[in-house]
Amino acid sequence: MPCSAMSFSDLRDFPCSRGGGGISYVFQPTFGYLIGFIAGAFITGAIAHSGAPTMKRLLTGCFLGLAVVYALGMLYYWLISRFWLGEPIGIAPLFLYCFVLAVPGDICLCILASVLGKKLLPVINKQSVRSV
């Protein structure tokens, strides 16, 4: 939900992200990553909360969510570059600049999020049960 709210506020000229906002942002090559972020967050949350917060479950959720972000982001980048901007990008440069150079940091963040989630989710779940 917060991902969607941030995305829609960007489109309504209330920029929450670094690249600015407005409806014209839809025509930026990186807009696909924003779409992917919404879908990836949903998938990650659905997997992470589908049972006990095991390290395997949390890592699976994070990595599948990350895969969705990059898949949608790269696909959108390629489509916009080719058909809207008229500056097609090859598959090899797309893979290099939009995946290989960016993903190592995101892999580290997935591992960190899983470690933190393993420790914090039981505490958060216990607190939410008490408040109900």
Side-chain angles (χ1 to χ4, degrees), residues 3 6-7 32-42 68-69 72:
C3 299
M6 184 183 84
S7 302
Y33 289 96
L34 193 58
I35 297 168
F37 187 63
I38 295 168
F42 176 80
V68 168
V69 170
L72 291 176

Side-chain angles (χ1 to χ4, degrees), residues 41-53:
F42 176 80
I43 289 170
T44 299
I47 293 171
H49 294 288
S50 66

Side-chain angles (χ1 to χ4, degrees), residues 30-130:
T30 55
F31 182 73
Y33 289 96
L34 193 58
I35 297 168
F37 187 63
I38 295 168
F42 176 80
I43 289 170
T44 299
I47 293 171
H49 294 288
S50 66
T54 63
M55 190 59 118
K56 181 180 178 182
R57 176 174 283 114
L58 296 175
L59 281 171
T60 300
C62 284
F63 286 131
L64 285 177
L66 185 64
V68 168
V69 170
Y70 276 98
L72 291 176
M74 290 171 60
L75 176 64
Y76 195 90
Y77 194 103
W78 185 83
L79 289 169
I80 287 292
S81 295
R82 181 170 194 87
F83 297 112
W84 179 256
L85 299 176
E87 299 174 10
I89 184 170
I91 298 299
L94 177 75
F95 188 72
L96 175 65
Y97 294 119
C98 298
F99 182 76
V100 172
L101 296 176
V103 82
D106 288 337
I107 289 172
C108 292
L109 290 174
C110 282
I111 294 168
L112 177 62
S114 297
V115 168
L116 288 173
K118 177 80 171 118
K119 300 285 184 188
L120 295 176
L121 281 173
V123 175
I124 292 169
N125 290 337
K126 186 186 287 185
Q127 290 293 330
S128 65
V129 168
R130 278 191 214 165

Side-chain angles (χ1 to χ4, degrees), residues 11-44:
L11 293 176
R12 301 252 325 142
D13 275 334
F14 184 72
C16 293
S17 58
R18 195 170 115 204
I23 197 70
S24 64
Y25 186 61
V26 172
F27 300 107
Q28 296 295 317
T30 55
F31 182 73
Y33 289 96
L34 193 58
I35 297 168
F37 187 63
I38 295 168
F42 176 80
I43 289 170
T44 299

